[in-house]
Amino acid sequence: MSIRILKKALGLLIVDIVIIIGIFVLQFRTDSTIIKKIGNLQITLETLDEQSGVITYKNKARISYNGINFVFDDQNPVYIKKDGSDMPVQLKDVDQKDPLSITLNFSEGVKVTYEIASEDASASLAILAELPDGISDFSMPYSYSSNMSIQKAEKDSLVLAGKRNAWEFSSHYIDAGRFDFTQRNYMATYSIYDANQKFSFDDIMNEQIATSEEFAKTIAQFKRTLINAFDTNNVESNITEQVAVSYIAAQAENSGYSRAIENVPDSIRKSKQRTYLSAPYFNTLEDMNTNLEKAMKDYEKRITDSADKGTFDLFTVHKISDFIYLHQNPETVKKLLYNAAIAEPENLTIAQISGILQVYVDLTQLAPSYAAILEPILEPGIERITEACKFEGNILTISENDTFLSVNQAVETGIALLRYGRLIDNETYRKAGYAIVNSYLAESSSFDLRTLSNIYPVIAFGNEFYPHFAKISDENGKKVWAWTCAKNIKLEKSADEYNFDIDFPNGDTHYIIIKGIPQFNSIYIYDMAFRTDPRFETYNSSGYVYKKSTETLLLKSRHKAQNEKVKLVYRETRPAPAPVVETAPAPVVEDTETPAVEAEDTESSEESVE
């Protein structure tokens, strides 16, 4: 009897001890629920409140909006694919920087933002994923409320019918209970579904995302991100020729040209793999000219092949309009453009249509008669782009074959619409371009350096510091043009002289390849005669090389004034004095008796070296 009483007492004691310990633990750590509401968007989170005041989130959340639920926990987690392997990620933190959005921060650097267009009950919801390098896929669970039913299901969309409205959930891939993101397709949307609704660019005319002010902010932020990314990742393994060129051009807009040149590693500046692209910034002009000549022959053949075969991928090449203008056979060019003009829009890709728009805009300045050939395809092509667009969650996206366009291609399309709209003074097309670029570059702060550098040439269409083709003169079929980064090059011609006026910042040095220059007798820069010197690129002064066989003037231009004057003389003149080379502390040596050398495949420098 006493033994039973003892056992019972001991059992009760143990229970009491467990209860006391439990109470003690709960004094320092308790689970709590946090509910946040943003319009109809409700976010339910569970936390562990530490006595220190630091909030630790459980890997558990429920985000609900108008009949759809995004729910995950340890039993039904969020998955990523990293380096080819699936793995779960844990919720680490929650951040709300905007009144209409909230961001969930997961392990492995993954971020997912839920954003509603407004607090209106029928506002659209956008879900955006930010996936670091090395993570190719992101998968999150979803469900829908009992009062919703599936009206239509496809691999990238799900239409849910409710009592009042039908809603469409769109993502890269939607399966039973899960939807996916990828690096390229990083957004999902949930909005009211209207089977008869047809998007029009007129629908976004009054949206903030379609304003020039928002566009200016987006581009300014993009350039700052590019410059900062270069400055913080300036190691040889990260820097390519394209990275260096984009960085220099962006810095030059802010009077940082010379500093940017110095920041580029020698491995790029002196690389044997460089192309004519970077020729205006660095030396070795003769090698760069050879590379340019090779590219011209290659593009001439590609243009001819495209015209003969009736293919259109050539239009997707950045600034292909320059080589179309330079093509030696006008009939081939007309055939190429005519093929594009009569093409069926549904048989063209968005990239091809965007390229055709860009070529049209460029050719209106280079060769208006060529540009006119393309006019029949322009409006049908834009209609094809319009049909591929969707505006949800205050974001304008473009899809093709059930896949979102890449950021690079979408920006190309947006800039094409913007430039065309400016050309024909069409506000709708301008605003469409603004909206597309603003949408796709909104998260540019997360782009890596190479992505930023590849996009930069597209958005920098107005930055003359970026290496570009410059039409100087076109008379009676005789073209004079340059590959340059100068702001402007003007030419005044007479029977005896070619007078160039080159606009570039005072004190800076750049390099120019000028084509279509007949052989001359003498050359003057700042009214000073120049003559042969094989070391002209190494001097702290201007200099030149002339190639008679291709009528090419290779010019090193070190500006003593913003506008440098270069005069080519086609009449006999007195010989130019020989160059004087200063090598401290040796005295200056001057030989004025050395005869001038004819301008035939010669190298020259200023008569005195600074």
Side-chain angles (χ1 to χ4, degrees), residues 286 289 545-554 601-602:
E286 291 199 72
N289 180 56
V545 169
Y546 179 75
K547 294 296 183 183
K548 178 182 177 181
S549 59
T550 56
E551 294 192 329
T552 303
L553 176 64
L554 308 179
D601 286 4
T602 60

Side-chain angles (χ1 to χ4, degrees), residues 75-184:
Q75 285 68 48
N76 194 21
V78 173
Y79 277 101
I80 62 170
K81 180 171 286 186
K82 184 176 181 180
D83 300 326
S85 300
D86 291 336
M87 61 180 291
V89 290
Q90 304 289 313
L91 179 65
K92 293 297 183 183
D93 193 15
V94 178
D95 188 19
Q96 185 175 8
K97 295 180 180 179
D98 186 277
L100 296 179
S101 69
I102 190 167
T103 299
L104 306 185
N105 299 308
F106 293 88
S107 55
E108 302 297 330
V110 174
K111 298 181 179 181
V112 179
T113 299
Y114 292 81
E115 180 177 354
I116 57 175
S118 70
E119 292 191 356
D120 187 85
S122 60
S124 57
L125 169 69
I127 310 168
L128 299 98
E130 186 177 320
L131 306 181
D133 290 340
I135 297 177
S136 58
D137 291 275
F138 176 94
S139 174
M140 175 175 277
Y142 80 93
S143 63
Y144 52 90
S145 303
S146 58
N147 63 340
M148 306 289 282
S149 61
I150 297 177
Q151 181 174 318
K152 184 173 71 171
E154 298 178 357
K155 72 172 187 177
D156 61 348
S157 69
L158 181 71
V159 177
L160 300 174
K163 292 182 179 179
R164 296 183 178 180
N165 295 310
W167 289 76
E168 183 179 19
F169 180 41
S170 300
S171 183
H172 164 63
Y173 181 76
I174 300 176
D175 200 357
R178 282 188 172 270
F179 69 103
D180 292 355
F181 294 108
T182 66
Q183 285 273 5
R184 182 173 178 176

Side-chain angles (χ1 to χ4, degrees), residues 539 577-582 588-591 605-610:
Y539 293 151
V580 176
V581 181
E582 295 179 358
V588 174
V589 178
E590 183 171 354
D591 179 7
S605 72
E606 192 176 354
E607 66 174 350
S608 63
V609 181
E610 298 178 354

Side-chain angles (χ1 to χ4, degrees), residues 59-301:
N59 185 44
K60 186 175 183 180
R62 180 186 183 91
I63 300 95
S64 302
Y65 187 69
N66 290 339
I68 196 166
N69 309 301
F70 306 98
V71 183
F72 63 87
D73 54 26
D74 289 332
Q75 285 68 48
N76 194 21
V78 173
Y79 277 101
I80 62 170
K81 180 171 286 186
K82 184 176 181 180
D83 300 326
S85 300
D86 291 336
M87 61 180 291
V89 290
Q90 304 289 313
L91 179 65
K92 293 297 183 183
D93 193 15
V94 178
D95 188 19
Q96 185 175 8
K97 295 180 180 179
D98 186 277
L100 296 179
S101 69
I102 190 167
T103 299
L104 306 185
N105 299 308
F106 293 88
S107 55
E108 302 297 330
V110 174
K111 298 181 179 181
V112 179
T113 299
Y114 292 81
E115 180 177 354
I116 57 175
S118 70
E119 292 191 356
D120 187 85
S122 60
S124 57
L125 169 69
I127 310 168
L128 299 98
E130 186 177 320
L131 306 181
D133 290 340
I135 297 177
S136 58
D137 291 275
F138 176 94
S139 174
M140 175 175 277
Y142 80 93
S143 63
Y144 52 90
S145 303
S146 58
N147 63 340
M148 306 289 282
S149 61
I150 297 177
Q151 181 174 318
K152 184 173 71 171
E154 298 178 357
K155 72 172 187 177
D156 61 348
S157 69
L158 181 71
V159 177
L160 300 174
K163 292 182 179 179
R164 296 183 178 180
N165 295 310
W167 289 76
E168 183 179 19
F169 180 41
S170 300
S171 183
H172 164 63
Y173 181 76
I174 300 176
D175 200 357
R178 282 188 172 270
F179 69 103
D180 292 355
F181 294 108
T182 66
Q183 285 273 5
R184 182 173 178 176
N185 301 284
Y186 56 88
M187 186 176 72
T189 58
Y190 186 65
S191 59
I192 289 180
Y193 175 74
D194 182 353
N196 299 316
Q197 184 179 14
K198 186 178 180 181
F199 174 78
S200 168
F201 287 133
D202 291 329
D203 298 340
I204 61 171
M205 289 288 285
N206 297 321
E207 299 290 339
Q208 179 65 25
I209 201 169
T211 63
S212 59
E213 293 81 8
E214 195 68 20
F215 177 77
K217 292 178 184 177
T218 298
I219 298 302
Q221 180 58 50
F222 180 92
K223 292 175 182 177
R224 286 194 295 270
T225 302
L226 168 61
I227 292 171
N228 291 336
F230 184 97
D231 290 340
T232 56
N233 295 277
N234 188 7
V235 293
E236 293 184 5
S237 59
N238 293 331
I239 309 302
T240 64
E241 182 181 25
Q242 181 61 66
V243 167
V245 168
S246 294
Y247 169 71
I248 294 169
Q251 283 281 46
E253 286 189 285
N254 299 317
S255 304
Y257 173 81
S258 294
R259 183 174 64 257
I261 294 285
E262 294 172 358
N263 288 344
V264 174
D266 284 345
S267 60
I268 297 297
R269 287 188 285 181
K270 299 178 181 179
S271 172
K272 298 295 184 182
Q273 306 303 316
R274 276 179 47 229
T275 70
Y276 71 91
L277 172 64
S278 60
Y281 297 149
F282 310 122
N283 52 18
T284 65
L285 275 176
E286 291 199 72
D287 290 342
M288 296 299 97
N289 180 56
T290 300
N291 182 264
L292 175 58
E293 293 282 351
K294 182 177 181 297
M296 290 172 63
K297 291 178 181 178
D298 177 60
Y299 280 121
E300 183 153 332
K301 182 179 184 302

Side-chain angles (χ1 to χ4, degrees), residues 12-81:
L12 291 173
L13 179 61
I14 293 172
V15 171
D16 290 341
I17 291 172
V18 170
I19 293 173
I20 292 170
I21 293 174
I23 294 172
F24 179 78
V25 170
L26 287 174
Q27 286 179 341
F28 294 95
R29 183 172 181 176
T30 59
D31 293 349
S32 63
T33 300
I34 296 177
I35 299 177
K36 294 177 177 287
K37 290 206 68 176
I38 306 174
N40 271 15
L41 181 67
Q42 180 169 302
I43 306 97
T44 304
L45 305 163
E46 291 194 16
T47 66
L48 298 172
D49 292 334
E50 303 292 345
Q51 192 177 33
S52 63
V54 177
I55 297 177
T56 300
Y57 288 92
K58 284 187 174 182
N59 185 44
K60 186 175 183 180
R62 180 186 183 91
I63 300 95
S64 302
Y65 187 69
N66 290 339
I68 196 166
N69 309 301
F70 306 98
V71 183
F72 63 87
D73 54 26
D74 289 332
Q75 285 68 48
N76 194 21
V78 173
Y79 277 101
I80 62 170
K81 180 171 286 186

Side-chain angles (χ1 to χ4, degrees), residues 274-432:
R274 276 179 47 229
T275 70
Y276 71 91
L277 172 64
S278 60
Y281 297 149
F282 310 122
N283 52 18
T284 65
L285 275 176
E286 291 199 72
D287 290 342
M288 296 299 97
N289 180 56
T290 300
N291 182 264
L292 175 58
E293 293 282 351
K294 182 177 181 297
M296 290 172 63
K297 291 178 181 178
D298 177 60
Y299 280 121
E300 183 153 332
K301 182 179 184 302
R302 290 178 64 180
I303 289 169
T304 300
D305 290 346
S306 183
D308 291 341
K309 297 176 183 178
T311 57
F312 307 107
D313 282 343
L314 185 72
F315 286 95
T316 65
V317 176
H318 184 64
K319 302 301 288 184
I320 191 61
S321 50
D322 301 336
F323 296 98
I324 291 174
Y325 166 72
L326 293 172
H327 198 281
Q328 297 294 315
N329 190 334
E331 294 307 313
T332 296
V333 172
K334 291 176 183 177
K335 183 178 180 181
L336 172 77
L337 302 176
Y338 179 74
N339 289 342
I342 63 172
E344 294 294 334
E346 58 268 24
N347 295 331
L348 297 173
T349 66
I350 300 298
Q352 290 168 348
I353 294 171
S354 303
I356 289 170
L357 286 172
Q358 295 268 34
V359 167
Y360 174 80
V361 173
D362 291 336
L363 288 180
T364 56
Q365 300 298 317
L366 299 174
S369 61
Y370 283 168
I373 299 173
L374 288 173
E375 289 178 355
I377 190 60
L378 302 180
E379 291 299 326
I382 292 175
E383 180 61 29
R384 169 91 166 78
I385 293 174
T386 307
E387 292 171 355
C389 290
K390 180 181 288 187
F391 184 69
E392 293 178 335
N394 202 35
I395 295 175
L396 182 59
T397 58
I398 311 175
S399 300
E400 187 172 30
N401 299 324
D402 299 326
T403 301
F404 288 124
L405 289 192
S406 67
V407 173
N408 299 52
Q409 182 53 62
V411 172
E412 182 85 39
T413 300
I415 294 296
L417 286 170
L418 168 58
R419 296 185 68 207
Y420 180 65
R422 287 181 177 178
L423 178 70
I424 66 171
D425 195 23
N426 184 300
E427 184 182 18
T428 299
Y429 296 155
R430 289 200 305 272
K431 284 180 170 287

